[in-house]
Amino acid sequence: MRTLLSALAAFALLGAGVADAQQAQTPQAQTPRKGGTIRMTAPYAASFGSLDPQVTPRAQDQIVNQAIHRPLYTWDTANNKLALELATEVKTSADGLTHTYKLRDDVTFHNGRKMTADDVIWSYTRIMDGSKGYPGARYIRVIKGATEVEKGEAKAISGLKKIDDLTLEMTLTERVEPGYYLFAGTTAILPREEVEKANFAANPVGLGPFKFKEHIPGSRVVMERFDKFYKPGKPYADKLEVLIMAEAAARDVAFRNKEIDTSILGPAQYVAYRADPELSKGILEVAEMFTRAITFNNDVKPFNDKRVRQAINYAIDTDLIIKRLVKDKAYRATSWLPPSSAAFDKTVKPYPFDQAKAKKLLAEAGLPNGFEWELTTSQNESWGLPIVEAIIPMLDKVGIKIKPKLVEATVLTEILMKGEHTGLISSNLTGPDSLAVLRSFYSKTPRTAGHYTNFSNPEFDKLLDTAAQEGDTGKRNDLLKQANNLLFEEAPVWFFNYNKAVLAYQPWIHGLQANPTEITHQYPEDIWVDTRPPAK
Amino acid sequence: MLFVLARRVANIVPTLAAVIAVVFLLFSVLPGSFVSAMNEDGRTTIDPAVMERMRKEMGLDDPLPERFAKYVAHTVVGDLGTSFRTKEPVTKLIGARLWPSLKLVFAAMSIAIAIGVPLGFIAALRPGSAVDTVSMVGAISGLSLSQFWLGLMMMYLFALTLKWLPSFGYGDGGIRYLILPAVALGVGPMALLARTTRAAVLDVLNADFVRTARSKGMSERRVVEWHVMRNALVLVITTIGLQFGSLMGAAVVVEKLFSWPGVGSLLVDSVFQRDIPTVQGCILLIVIFFLVINTLVDMAYVAIDPRIRYR
């Protein structure tokens, strides 16, 4: 009992905002310092799936895999674009299909062997093994001849040709930017001799800035600096620990107690950290490439009528929900593509909250008294039941009665793929390849391949077809921008928000990047720890 | 004794068979699969062709009776299959979590027994006293408290405010990391044990044979040691056994809160990600643990109460 009373007293003190003086008074160091330990957190599950990056597409696993492994391309966060990672240059043929890469000559695997073109070819061929379910196959399929390997009709990918040890020629099936396909963690380049040993996932060997040291399942992965990393002088830190912390409240305590260096924040913590004079100094924010929306099944009446879809967009006070429920930890969506996309149109205004207009549109659509609608949702706090509960009274005012159908997040994709929804609220990956993202609204895309709305619009299709054939990046982006704006006007979904990912970091940590593809996927070679020793 | 042991062990077999069948069937009818669950966080997209291949690779499309037959055939020889997530043998995954789990459960139960049983005894020997009132109010509070809330409060107090202990994690596996989760897990069983012990002792204290012992002039200490304690122990040991057996499964909340790498957190993670072989393996382990503990409890009855031996 005494314990409990003391605990309550301590909690009350914390609530009153007792600040840590030491953190506030230490000056910021400016020059990267070598040494120290980075303690990052993995918040998405209570364990890691696999440390073989080609086996797992999960965001949780990629936090570790980003430190140990690397793919051919990377996402340059500073310039918000793709960049070569394992090659120094690429030459593209006039038809835009053949790309010749000059690979870096200083890339060494953690076992001491230099990387060559053979490693790239072997890695991509492994991913296309048709007897296995490698998630990266969806990307490698863009290389000519990869599908034949997948089907078992060929042993080698015909579109991959080794010119010499450090020169690789890659022929694609269509005119696309290969970086969008080959920057995914699931396409990392691996050393064959290590993968073919038993238990590669238990003893992963890569070519990233940190080499694997220890994995305590359910607890942490520890990595050490790789001295032969190809970026001179990097990584800075001696050690990197990725600690599994699935529970937000526990992460909060550990962060305040300086036991961890980074922590992803949920809406409630975001409010508390912003209000705290000290904690607010260490907050990194970015609009991630995830668009939260209600996917209408455009096959089903009355959602086959654009006016009904638009009416719902007008009838919901989206700004109010973002402010009150999501605690401003989101940016209002003004299109399907997120702000980091080159095809995003900053001039587009969101649907205003206008219930009179919503009623008028419903009446025009022959539904003056509204209709009843089953909305599928998960428990998710940012894009699930709490949001649906807020929407119910808003739509009720225009005559739309919602029957929420609560399901586990685990089955959302299955429901979407089977088309078993009339409306379903979810978070959707919407980057970085704008063309591929918009193809989820292309009429010829099968539902199972992400066309969950079954939206069909010839004008939209034509814009995508033209964009796919366009070799000039600027012109292509203009076409995609038009398609994106058309989609917004057609409203095949309720446009809710883009996730504002928020990462809290300790004052002694530097070099973090606001990565819009996933904020927890940091580039640990750039992170450094200053001289302020973290408390143990 | 051997006969009782043999009978108990023989009872384990049908129980295990029933558990295997029920768990398998339940997870076969549950909506969603490992493949569809890969996008549960809304942070990835899976290619339909790859999904189909994964389903095939994992045997998810095979007929139910065929899958069940395969599962049973492998399980009886100790092969719990391969994890969908990690592609490692389930026995290896569970093996890595077993020691942390056992450490946590034994530590929590030791705390519960060391405090709960004496507290219940003292309370029963002085019914209505201040000790009795305070300990029983404490016991009811302990039973009512959520493990999550209690754990969080202890983190705030002992880690953040007093800086005595780490707030989370397994660290080097040392006792500093074990204390907070063990206390958070042990408070519930401790409270239950205190109440059960008190009730059992009070019951025995009012029994005819105790009155007879006292009337023969036996000292109060001897009455308590020889007659009361021994008779009350049957109920106390039953409670200990039931609590002990269920703690490994019940540790889920504490393990997740403290990022403790036990079987409970592995089970929950596997359920959400539909890693069926791992779920089945974890449940089987938890059930076996429960059955073993209860068999030991049955053996203890025989040792404590001779009347049970002759039945």
Side-chain angles (χ1 to χ4, degrees), chain A residues 298-310:
Chain A
N298 291 203
D299 274 351
V300 179
K301 278 186 178 177
F303 297 104
N304 55 348
D305 190 323
K306 166 181 160 180
R307 290 166 298 190
V308 174
R309 305 191 301 255
Q310 286 177 331

Side-chain angles (χ1 to χ4, degrees), chain A residues 51-81:
Chain A
L51 302 187
D52 178 343
Q54 293 182 354
V55 164
T56 172
R58 287 179 189 276
Q60 171 93 345
D61 302 336
Q62 183 59 18
I63 297 170
V64 170
N65 289 334
Q66 177 103 333
I68 301 176
H69 308 283
R70 284 296 152 95
L72 187 58
Y73 282 82
T74 190
W75 185 261
D76 177 357
T77 300
N79 298 303
N80 197 32
K81 61 174 193 177

Side-chain angles (χ1 to χ4, degrees), chain B residues 1-310:
Chain B
M1 179 76 101
L2 276 175
F3 174 72
V4 176
L5 180 64
R7 223 172 61 178
R8 290 289 178 265
V9 172
N11 283 344
I12 287 176
V13 178
T15 312
L16 279 180
V19 167
I20 286 171
V22 168
V23 171
F24 182 88
L25 287 172
L26 269 180
F27 277 87
S28 302
V29 297
L30 210 61
S33 68
F34 171 74
V35 181
S36 64
M38 288 186 117
N39 189 30
E40 62 157 346
D41 55 8
R43 289 185 173 264
T44 186
T45 46
I46 305 291
D47 178 70
V50 173
M51 284 176 91
E52 201 176 300
R53 223 158 39 227
M54 282 181 169
R55 290 186 65 87
K56 198 173 168 191
E57 191 187 344
M58 292 163 188
L60 293 171
D61 292 333
D62 294 344
L64 194 64
E66 191 182 318
R67 278 192 282 152
F68 184 60
K70 256 190 220 170
Y71 173 60
V72 172
H74 286 117
T75 304
V76 292
V77 293
D79 174 8
L80 299 178
T82 304
S83 161
F84 289 166
R85 271 188 307 163
T86 68
K87 318 281 180 202
E88 290 175 299
V90 171
T91 43
K92 188 184 164 197
L93 283 185
I94 293 177
R97 305 291 191 110
L98 192 57
W99 178 231
S101 256
L102 287 175
K103 260 205 295 201
L104 180 61
V105 168
F106 275 89
M109 216 49 216
S110 304
I111 292 167
I113 295 168
I115 300 173
V117 175
L119 209 62
F121 246 102
I122 295 165
L125 294 175
R126 294 180 180 80
S129 69
V131 178
D132 183 28
T133 310
V134 171
S135 59
M136 284 309 108
V137 169
I140 289 170
S141 309
L143 276 173
S144 327
L145 281 180
S146 129
Q147 287 176 346
F148 185 88
W149 184 85
L150 178 65
L152 206 55
M153 290 301 109
M154 288 197 306
M155 278 182 184
Y156 273 113
L157 180 64
F158 295 107
L160 193 53
T161 309
L162 300 173
K163 311 274 182 202
W164 288 354
L165 296 165
S167 71
F168 79 103
Y170 190 63
D172 54 3
I175 197 160
R176 289 182 70 240
Y177 290 88
L178 181 62
I179 293 172
L180 290 185
V183 173
L185 185 62
V187 163
M190 179 182 79
L192 187 68
L193 270 176
R195 284 192 65 80
T196 310
T197 307
R198 180 181 180 273
V201 172
L202 277 178
D203 199 36
V204 177
L205 279 171
N206 293 324
D208 290 343
F209 62 86
V210 172
R211 203 175 304 123
T212 307
R214 280 176 179 149
S215 64
K216 283 197 298 184
M218 198 180 271
S219 73
E220 189 60 23
R221 184 177 173 168
R222 203 167 162 80
V223 168
V224 170
E225 282 177 359
W226 276 83
H227 295 285
V228 179
M229 277 178 87
R230 206 159 176 185
N231 280 285
L233 265 182
V234 174
L235 184 59
V236 174
I237 285 178
T238 306
T239 311
I240 289 173
L242 288 171
Q243 288 295 304
F244 219 141
S246 58
L247 265 195
M248 193 175 278
V252 171
V253 174
V254 168
E255 285 182 10
K256 200 171 172 209
L257 181 65
F258 288 94
S259 300
W260 188 264
V263 174
S265 59
L266 176 67
L267 172 62
V268 172
D269 231 21
S270 305
V271 169
F272 284 130
Q273 295 179 25
R274 299 289 191 273
D275 185 356
I276 297 171
T278 311
V279 172
Q280 288 165 338
C282 289
I283 293 178
L284 201 61
L285 174 84
I286 290 168
V287 171
I288 290 172
F289 183 75
F290 188 88
L291 292 173
V292 167
I293 293 288
N294 278 280
T295 304
L296 293 175
V297 167
D298 283 350
M299 297 297 102
Y301 288 160
V302 177
I304 293 164
D305 192 341
R307 288 169 299 182
I308 295 172
R309 188 183 307 177
Y310 299 118

Side-chain angles (χ1 to χ4, degrees), chain A residues 253-430:
Chain A
V253 176
F255 186 81
R256 289 172 187 267
N257 202 31
K258 304 175 178 64
E259 292 175 86
I260 53 176
D261 293 334
T262 62
S263 174
I264 195 137
L265 303 184
Q269 289 173 339
Y270 180 50
V271 173
Y273 279 50
R274 270 199 312 185
D276 187 299
E278 290 308 315
L279 296 175
S280 60
K281 291 177 189 166
I283 291 179
L284 189 67
E285 297 178 4
V286 67
E288 277 186 336
M289 295 168 176
F290 296 101
T291 305
R292 278 81 182 265
I294 293 177
T295 300
F296 304 132
N297 193 342
N298 291 203
D299 274 351
V300 179
K301 278 186 178 177
F303 297 104
N304 55 348
D305 190 323
K306 166 181 160 180
R307 290 166 298 190
V308 174
R309 305 191 301 255
Q310 286 177 331
I312 291 174
N313 274 283
Y314 281 115
I316 299 172
D317 191 347
T318 310
D319 285 329
L320 185 72
I321 295 174
I322 291 175
K323 192 174 172 59
R324 295 281 169 82
L325 274 179
V326 190
K327 311 286 185 196
D328 277 330
K329 207 186 94 54
Y331 301 94
R332 176 87 192 263
T334 53
S335 74
W336 187 250
L337 294 176
S340 53
S341 164
F344 179 79
D345 188 346
K346 287 175 187 161
T347 63
V348 173
K349 298 273 177 268
Y351 281 91
F353 175 51
D354 187 344
Q355 295 199 320
K357 180 141 192 190
K359 278 184 185 168
K360 187 169 170 276
L361 283 165
L362 286 172
E364 283 170 16
L367 296 163
N369 300 317
F371 59 95
E372 201 173 275
W373 173 34
E374 184 182 80
L375 178 53
T376 306
T377 177
S378 69
Q379 286 279 14
N380 191 288
E381 63 173 333
S382 300
W383 43 269
L385 192 60
I387 309 302
V388 171
E389 283 170 342
I391 288 171
I392 289 172
M394 293 177 186
L395 289 184
D396 191 58
K397 284 193 178 160
V398 298
I400 300 173
K401 311 277 180 205
I402 290 184
K403 284 196 299 178
K405 181 186 174 190
L406 186 62
V407 299
E408 260 188 275
T410 310
V411 298
L412 290 178
T413 305
E414 202 163 273
I415 291 170
L416 287 167
M417 288 179 103
K418 289 179 181 168
E420 290 172 342
H421 62 293
T422 45
L424 184 147
I425 186 165
S426 62
S427 178
N428 306 276
L429 180 64
T430 48

Side-chain angles (χ1 to χ4, degrees), chain A residues 50-110:
Chain A
S50 178
L51 302 187
D52 178 343
Q54 293 182 354
V55 164
T56 172
R58 287 179 189 276
Q60 171 93 345
D61 302 336
Q62 183 59 18
I63 297 170
V64 170
N65 289 334
Q66 177 103 333
I68 301 176
H69 308 283
R70 284 296 152 95
L72 187 58
Y73 282 82
T74 190
W75 185 261
D76 177 357
T77 300
N79 298 303
N80 197 32
K81 61 174 193 177
L82 291 159
L84 286 168
E85 176 72 11
L86 301 178
T88 50
E89 62 170 272
V90 56
K91 285 181 183 159
T92 306
S93 63
D95 63 1
L97 292 177
T98 304
H99 302 262
T100 307
Y101 294 89
K102 195 76 196 159
L103 301 176
R104 294 184 72 120
D105 61 0
D106 53 357
V107 179
T108 308
F109 288 110
H110 299 161

